[in-house]
Amino acid sequence: MNAARSRSAALVALWVQVAALVAYGVYQGLSGGADVWLSLLDVGLATLSLGLWTALLGDFLRGVAVADTSRRLRVFRFVFPWLTALRAAMWLFTSLAILGGAGDTANPIAVLALFLVWGGGIVAGLAVYVVSSVLFVRPDLGGRARLVTWLNVSAALSVALTVMNVWPPTGFVPPPSLREQVIWGVQGVLDVGATLLALRAVQLAPRAGQAGEH
């Protein structure tokens, strides 16, 4: 697969993932629940962050440097840290609840694995954000290898987290319904596929960039 086809495949997959997040947000909103607003906030920030990152990645894959004053870049740099902070807070509060005795009927090894993978995914996402924020502006700085590495880590963690969402530790949360398992499974497959395609596209992207604001 050449650079142009790899770029097209990655961008299509990423935009499909954005559309899937929008659909999931609608589903969450219609489903209701005690924590629906928290879920919608997470999905909203994730959708906006992924959409902006995809647009910025498209410029990078075409060999075009993004100006540091780009509106899309500034919004991305503003939104993604809030998404990270929200997910880190959810991870921390849930961890404290577990330490307080919640879910004590679940296998502790399985719960520990879940929280390590969940936390690792947050860290990997933050690393992708930090590397991308610099690389998209200065593609000549040599951050391409670091982005490829973190995308690879993110894909691996996404596989593990998808499995744990579809089949969570028994006794930790109520068993998901078949519909929920399908939703989590589809989202996971889209995430892993889009991440791997983006990884390959970054590897094949032109080395020389043409600076300009987008």
Side-chain angles (χ1 to χ4, degrees):
M1 183 180 293
N2 59 29
R5 289 182 179 179
S6 180
R7 178 181 68 239
S8 298
L11 294 177
V12 167
L14 286 165
W15 284 120
V16 168
Q17 189 181 2
V18 171
L21 281 172
V22 173
Y24 179 66
V26 173
Y27 169 77
Q28 286 286 84
L30 295 175
S31 298
D35 58 349
V36 62
W37 293 111
L38 186 61
S39 298
L40 288 177
L41 178 59
D42 178 85
V43 173
L45 291 173
T47 303
L48 182 57
S49 296
L50 181 60
L52 290 168
W53 187 80
T54 300
L56 294 167
L57 178 68
D59 287 339
F60 171 78
L61 295 178
R62 295 181 182 90
V64 179
V66 179
D68 201 39
T69 55
S70 165
R71 291 181 180 178
R72 288 181 300 178
L73 181 62
R74 285 185 294 175
V75 175
F76 174 65
R77 286 174 171 174
F78 175 79
V79 172
F80 195 88
W82 284 105
L83 174 63
T84 302
L86 174 63
R87 291 182 169 177
M90 293 168 63
W91 181 90
L92 178 61
F93 290 153
T94 308
S95 299
L96 292 175
I98 292 297
L99 293 176
D104 55 1
T105 59
N107 185 314
I109 302 301
V111 173
L112 176 61
L114 172 60
F115 275 83
L116 288 177
V117 171
W118 183 9
I122 295 172
V123 172
L126 180 60
V128 169
Y129 158 76
V130 172
V131 174
S132 298
S133 293
V134 177
L135 180 63
F136 292 165
V137 176
R138 295 291 305 275
D140 57 314
L141 288 182
R144 183 187 305 243
R146 289 192 296 273
L147 180 57
V148 167
T149 296
W150 282 111
L151 286 173
N152 198 22
V153 172
S154 295
L157 289 169
S158 182
V159 171
L161 190 58
T162 298
V163 172
M164 293 179 177
N165 282 331
V166 175
W167 295 286
T170 303
F172 179 58
V173 293
S177 65
L178 178 59
R179 176 185 296 179
E180 291 171 331
Q181 288 180 311
V182 170
I183 290 174
W184 282 113
V186 169
Q187 284 191 320
V189 169
L190 288 175
D191 186 28
V192 174
T195 302
L196 291 176
L197 286 171
L199 184 158
R200 185 57 178 162
V202 170
Q203 290 177 320
L204 297 176
R207 296 282 171 173
Q210 176 184 353
E213 180 173 356
H214 293 270

